[in-house]
Amino acid sequence: MRVDIITVLPELIRSPFEGSMMKRAIDKGLVEVHFHNLRDYSTNKQKSVDDYQFGGGAGMVMNIQPIDDCITQLKSEREYDEIIYMTPDGETLNQKMANSMSMLGNLIILCGHYKGVDQRVRDMHITKEISIGDYVLSGGELGAVILCDALFRLIPGVLSNETSALTDSFQDNLLSPPIYTRPAEYKGMKIPDILLSGNFPEIEKWREQKAYEHTMARRPDLLEE
Ligand code: ADE
């Protein structure tokens, strides 16, 4: 997978890609991430990328010209499967979307800032609009990082234990069951006996039951889907 991230704050989002799972994905050559500083595409002297809103109203709007030039340049170099705009009024990211998007090849992620982008950018180039939740951030950068993390870890070969992504919360619309590691007893608190039984079919049944109970208690909406 190749991801091109268009942002006014490339320095803000570089570091999450420089450690842990995302770094490993990059180092293994399974993903490529390129940052594009929108200011580099601005044709005006001040290198500004935003302006006042037509019709009045609080907040600046990101200009169409630098974004159009950047996306047009990228599109001339390769084909993109999706051109994504991170925005609170987009489709809310969930595991199902992450699963299907993890199979894509080339993505552009445009990070909004200020009040957002000129609507004509969305009409002209954007193929998918994604929100990471019902709250407003100061920019799309952190959302872009979250999206990349959710996608990269699903790419075969990125996680060392291939099955672990398949047993995550939300796969199969179930939250994860409780998990334990050593010691088997801590300050009088014992782990469930079944986990020490060595009876793996029964352990699996126990986990399914716990996952169901946990989902019922916290997210019954997932079971209705
Ligand atoms: N930009 C600002 N808020 C956002 C959100 N909730 N999701 C994605 N991008 C955003």
Side-chain angles (χ1 to χ4, degrees):
M1 175 181 285
R2 175 189 166 115
V3 182
D4 289 273
I5 301 179
I6 304 173
T7 168
V8 286
L9 289 170
E11 68 281 8
L12 179 77
I13 49 167
R14 264 185 221 283
S15 72
F17 295 92
E18 290 169 356
S20 195
M21 177 278 296
M22 295 217 272
K23 176 174 162 39
R24 280 202 306 277
I26 293 166
D27 289 349
K28 284 184 180 174
L30 297 166
V31 298
E32 253 180 63
V33 182
H34 299 265
F35 300 96
H36 305 275
N37 189 340
L38 207 49
R39 276 182 215 290
D40 295 342
Y41 293 84
S42 175
T43 52
N44 67 39
K45 265 200 214 127
Q46 300 76 27
K47 295 280 168 205
S48 71
V49 291
D50 63 327
D51 210 333
Y52 294 102
Q53 231 183 110
F54 275 127
M60 305 295 274
V61 179
M62 289 171 78
N63 297 114
I64 188 168
Q65 175 273 314
I67 301 174
D68 177 35
D69 284 1
C70 181
I71 294 179
T72 301
Q73 168 76 35
L74 289 170
K75 275 173 150 178
S76 74
E77 292 164 1
R78 68 195 63 74
E79 295 229 334
Y80 285 92
D81 299 305
E82 295 284 9
I83 303 181
I84 299 161
Y85 174 48
M86 300 307 300
T87 176
D89 61 348
E91 189 182 349
T92 309
L93 181 63
N94 60 29
Q95 194 60 45
K96 202 168 153 199
M97 282 160 73
N99 289 346
S100 64
M101 289 176 66
S102 71
M103 289 176 241
L104 299 177
N106 297 329
L107 304 177
I108 291 176
I109 305 178
L110 170 64
C111 303
H113 245 270
Y114 319 110
K115 260 294 188 224
V117 298
D118 187 311
Q119 178 59 37
R120 291 166 294 182
V121 169
R122 300 164 83 156
D123 299 342
M124 210 174 162
H125 289 297
I126 301 301
T127 62
K128 202 174 188 66
E129 303 195 334
I130 297 181
S131 163
I132 58 158
D134 288 345
Y135 42 83
V136 180
L137 303 168
S138 52
E141 282 75 12
L142 298 178
V145 170
I146 286 168
L147 174 61
C148 286
D149 188 304
L151 300 187
F152 292 1
R153 62 193 299 286
L154 295 171
I155 295 172
V158 169
L159 293 187
S160 40
N161 179 355
E162 288 282 353
T163 59
S164 79
L166 298 175
T167 57
D168 286 338
S169 274
F170 298 110
Q171 297 290 8
D172 306 325
N173 273 0
L174 285 175
L175 301 181
S176 293
I179 52 171
Y180 302 88
T181 185
R182 284 184 287 185
E185 184 174 342
Y186 184 75
K187 293 188 176 172
M189 295 163 78
K190 289 190 181 145
I191 69 164
D193 289 336
I194 181 76
L195 297 177
L196 296 170
S197 68
N199 184 340
F200 294 104
E202 282 303 312
I203 290 174
E204 207 36 54
K205 253 199 237 162
W206 178 86
R207 285 186 174 142
E208 277 167 25
Q209 178 61 26
K210 289 290 167 192
Y212 178 79
E213 286 169 13
H214 191 43
T215 312
M216 196 59 170
R218 290 203 174 169
R219 294 289 308 275
D221 57 299
L222 291 175
L223 298 172
E224 281 157 24
E225 270 176 35

